[in-house]
Amino acid sequence: MTLNYEEKEMLYPDGTLMYCGGVKKNDFGHDIYDGKGTLFDQEGEILFEGEFVNHMKQGNGIMYLKGQIIYQGEFIQNKKQGNGILYKDGQVYYEGHFRNDLMEGYGVLYYEEDAIAPFKELRAQYPHLNQPQYEGDFIWNHMQGAGKLYYAPESPNAVELANGVTSLQYDGYFFEDMKHGKGKNYSRQGVLESEGQFKEDAMTGQGTLYYANGQASYIGELVNGEKHGRGDYFNEEGKIIYSGEFINGERLRITPEIEREIEKLQKQLDGLVGLPNAKKELHNLINFIKIQSLRVDHGLTSFPITYHLVFSGNPGTGKTTVARIIGQIYKHLGVLSSGHFVETDRAGLVAGYVGQTALKVQEVVNKAKGGVLFIDEAYSLINDKQDAFGKEAIDSLLKVMEDLRDDLVVIVAGYTELMEEFLLANPGFKSRFNHFVQIDNFSTDELYDIFAMLCKNNDYLYGDVFGYHMKEQLHQIPVESIPNFSNGRYIRNLFEKLVTIQSNRLIQQEDITREELMEFTEEDILLGIAESLFDNTF
């Protein structure tokens, strides 16, 4: 080997050439590599040729193994560091940046020779096919950070490849050699197939799937590349076909099992005393959703509607109970992902400091996401026109209702007249609430039915005489003319008072039977009448 500088040879103990090139003396008077030189193994094969400083590879150099080049590039203190090229079986495997002997920084990773061999002649003819396997960021020898992944140059249609079709497979973020983070997937033909969040090589999180024509086919949640969770499904013309829940790639369908669960909830609703308007409205919504599901089965668009509701009426009429049932029915119909129930009021939404109310609203909404947010006495959010905190709460609420319109149902409730004023206070409410349910006061007969149900549910009994006095007293109540009549709360208060009267009577006895513990007597109700019990619990 001819060297262009003065060299000095260093030998192995057996006399075999170990090194030739620049040297200098160290502090102990020994020769050490310094300058340009070549290092050999004991079989005479070159191990390294390049630059040395203080007996260490430093600067530019080339490493060999068994006569084949394995690295060419920069070194610092014996380690590959800086720009360089890594080889496998004599072919370029990686070119880019190194740090501490590892691929780190920006670089390009190439497919190994056996992956590209079938198209070697084709690649020589069409240089544009010489795409790498990966180009982008590396950390500790792993693809990590932003980068692009390419298909191997193998295809049943080599002519198609030769005509210039890109082989880009993925453009996005990586973690430990896997697609992880935001990215885009492409077909071999260069068509965008999907984009969104990836986790451990598969789309998981929010994402979009595409038809071959570039139109989105699905926008929503995915797990391991399949539609799973909340999402919107479109036809190839861009019309939305279905919006709701997906499970393992398929939209939620009303199976016989789900139908039975819905029927149970409907029976629970129908079993409530009174509430004809609420029952009718919910039956209408259930029928609407079922028909829209059938339309989707036939490839027809489903008509989107707003599922938010306004309940107006006096307290104690069962608004909260109905709202809970609605959440569960909406879950089984695919309108909501969980159907759970969160109740709040002004105190739960309005803070006492500017800027804090929006955060408070967001916190409550995050708890309610996927279910029903029930706001009782909603008009209390605005005390007057100068109520800046209440206005901030309403503005924040309207925004999240828009942002989460596909997985949140808001039900506002309160007295009829005040609810009408509340809805007029902000133009945004009218566009978001289009289901209004007037819940009227219970009739005196319905109040009696509620009392009978309370007795049954709590293991109390009464005879005909007690029942006669109860009906007679209830029929004397001018339900329609009493302002803000408390309805079911009135009956519950009445029930609790009668239980107390019964308890006071029984405690005087030495022995009390099971039957006596369960029974209301005529004496109990007559004492209640004498104490004006029916007048004092309005």
Side-chain angles (χ1 to χ4, degrees):
M1 181 176 183
T2 303
L3 301 174
N4 297 321
Y5 53 87
E6 183 180 354
E7 67 177 41
K8 183 173 182 180
E9 293 184 349
M10 300 175 68
L11 306 176
Y12 285 106
D14 64 359
T16 306
L17 180 63
M18 179 174 66
Y19 172 82
C20 64
V23 296
K24 74 174 184 180
K25 299 287 186 182
N26 64 11
D27 293 341
F28 301 99
H30 300 142
D31 288 332
I32 59 173
Y33 316 144
D34 199 86
K36 291 185 177 180
T38 303
L39 192 64
F40 300 87
D41 65 17
Q42 285 186 280
E43 282 72 43
E45 298 281 0
I46 295 178
L47 290 175
F48 175 82
E49 56 181 344
E51 298 173 321
F52 291 87
V53 173
N54 289 329
H55 214 65
M56 293 185 290
K57 308 179 189 78
Q58 181 127 338
N60 289 301
I62 304 174
M63 290 180 65
Y64 297 86
L65 181 65
K66 297 186 183 300
Q68 278 198 335
I69 184 171
I70 58 172
Y71 174 78
Q72 178 179 2
E74 297 176 300
F75 291 83
I76 293 179
Q77 294 185 347
N78 264 348
K79 294 181 178 179
K80 299 185 282 289
Q81 186 145 322
N83 293 315
I85 301 173
L86 201 62
Y87 295 83
K88 274 191 178 181
D89 299 324
Q91 302 293 325
V92 175
Y93 174 68
Y94 169 85
E95 57 183 325
H97 201 267
F98 290 81
R99 186 172 182 270
N100 288 330
D101 258 347
L102 302 172
M103 300 179 290
E104 185 154 327
Y106 186 84
V108 179
L109 191 68
Y110 291 92
Y111 281 105
E112 296 184 45
E113 181 66 21
D114 58 352
I116 62 176
F119 290 93
K120 200 166 187 177
E121 293 182 4
L122 190 65
R123 288 162 61 82
Q125 186 178 356
Y126 301 99
H128 69 268
L129 296 179
N130 291 310
Q131 296 282 12
Q133 177 183 355
Y134 169 85
E135 57 180 334
D137 296 327
F138 286 81
I139 295 179
W140 294 350
N141 264 3
H142 292 292
M143 298 180 287
Q144 192 153 314
K148 295 180 179 180
L149 189 67
Y150 294 88
Y151 285 106
E154 296 178 304
S155 170
N157 193 341
V159 175
E160 193 174 73
L161 278 174
N163 287 335
V165 176
T166 179
S167 60
L168 178 64
Q169 180 188 125
Y170 172 81
D171 185 358
Y173 287 85
F174 292 78
F175 181 77
E176 293 187 350
D177 298 328
M178 293 182 290
K179 303 168 191 172
H180 196 97
K182 193 174 182 180
K184 298 179 179 180
N185 260 339
Y186 295 85
S187 71
R188 280 190 174 274
Q189 289 69 41
V191 176
L192 178 63
E193 291 183 326
S194 60
E195 63 178 321
Q197 291 296 320
F198 286 76
K199 182 180 179 181
E200 296 179 354
D201 256 353
M203 283 196 75
T204 298
Q206 285 292 320
T208 303
L209 306 180
Y210 293 93
Y211 289 110
N213 65 1
Q215 170 61 47
S217 65
Y218 173 81
I219 300 176
E221 297 175 6
L222 298 111
V223 174
N224 291 327
E226 287 194 328
K227 300 183 283 286
H228 193 94
R230 302 293 297 178
D232 297 328
Y233 174 66
F234 303 83
N235 65 16
E236 293 193 59
E237 286 72 47
K239 289 184 179 180
I240 188 166
I241 297 296
Y242 171 77
S243 178
E245 284 290 305
F246 288 79
I247 299 175
N248 297 327
E250 296 291 333
R251 70 175 181 83
L252 180 66
R253 298 177 184 275
I254 303 175
T255 62
E257 292 78 15
I258 290 176
E259 186 68 62
R260 284 194 288 271
E261 292 300 319
I262 295 172
E263 287 175 0
K264 288 180 186 177
L265 290 165
Q266 284 182 290
K267 286 181 181 178
Q268 184 180 340
L269 177 67
D270 293 338
L272 298 175
V273 175
L275 306 170
N277 294 332
K279 293 172 182 176
K280 180 181 177 182
E281 183 67 24
L282 190 52
H283 281 298
N284 289 343
L285 285 169
I286 291 171
N287 293 338
F288 173 87
I289 295 167
K290 287 181 177 179
I291 291 299
Q292 295 305 305
S293 180
L294 289 174
R295 286 175 58 85
V296 173
D297 288 339
H298 290 278
L300 301 172
T301 59
S302 59
F303 182 72
I305 65 169
T306 299
Y307 294 100
H308 307 302
L309 295 120
V310 177
F311 286 173
S312 54
N314 286 335
T317 47
K319 296 187 289 290
T320 303
T321 302
V322 174
R324 290 180 184 276
I325 295 173
I326 285 175
Q328 290 303 303
I329 289 177
Y330 278 177
K331 171 191 174 183
H332 291 298
L333 289 171
V335 174
L336 294 172
S337 57
S338 68
H340 67 285
F341 180 86
V342 174
E343 183 174 2
T344 191
D345 54 15
R346 177 184 171 90
L349 295 172
V350 177
Y353 301 94
V354 175
Q356 294 298 309
T357 292
L359 296 175
K360 204 168 184 181
V361 170
Q362 189 63 54
E363 182 181 350
V364 172
V365 167
N366 286 341
K367 292 178 182 176
K369 182 182 177 183
V372 170
L373 175 61
F374 184 81
I375 306 175
D376 200 12
E377 298 184 352
Y379 38 75
S380 65
L381 291 176
I382 304 179
N383 289 327
D384 53 56
K385 292 183 179 179
Q386 282 71 47
D387 185 1
F389 298 134
K391 183 179 182 302
E392 183 184 2
I394 287 176
D395 290 343
S396 301
L397 185 62
L398 287 172
K399 182 179 184 303
V400 297
M401 286 173 68
E402 180 63 26
D403 294 343
L404 299 175
R405 61 186 180 276
D406 292 332
D407 201 17
L408 176 70
V409 167
V410 177
I411 299 177
V412 292
Y415 295 114
T416 302
E417 297 79 9
L418 295 174
M419 287 303 297
E420 290 175 355
E421 294 177 13
F422 169 70
L423 292 172
L424 292 173
N426 191 305
F429 281 125
K430 281 293 184 181
S431 63
R432 288 169 176 82
F433 292 97
N434 59 358
H435 298 286
F436 301 88
V437 181
Q438 175 64 41
I439 300 181
D440 298 323
N441 286 341
F442 292 119
S443 68
T444 52
D445 286 336
E446 288 171 341
L447 292 175
Y448 178 83
D449 291 339
I450 294 172
F451 180 82
M453 184 173 65
L454 284 170
C455 288
K456 180 180 178 181
N457 292 341
N458 292 279
D459 295 328
Y460 281 89
L461 302 171
Y462 56 85
D464 293 340
V465 176
F466 181 98
Y468 167 79
H469 288 299
M470 176 63 69
K471 287 181 181 179
E472 185 180 46
Q473 292 299 311
L474 292 176
H475 286 161
Q476 294 177 26
I477 300 173
V479 173
E480 295 303 327
S481 61
I482 298 175
N484 304 328
F485 180 58
S486 60
N487 290 282
R489 295 178 193 173
Y490 168 83
I491 289 295
R492 179 170 287 278
N493 288 340
L494 191 64
F495 175 78
E496 291 176 359
K497 296 291 186 184
L498 286 167
V499 169
T500 302
I501 289 172
Q502 186 234 37
S503 300
N504 290 336
R505 173 175 56 80
L506 291 175
I507 203 67
Q508 307 301 322
Q509 301 177 197
E510 289 188 10
D511 298 316
I512 305 171
T513 66
R514 184 176 188 274
E515 289 72 21
E516 287 174 326
L517 289 169
M518 297 175 64
E519 184 181 15
F520 286 128
T521 66
E522 183 181 15
E523 181 184 345
D524 295 328
I525 196 165
L526 289 176
L527 183 57
I529 294 170
E531 293 180 355
S532 300
L533 185 63
F534 289 85
D535 301 323
N536 296 334
T537 55
F538 291 149

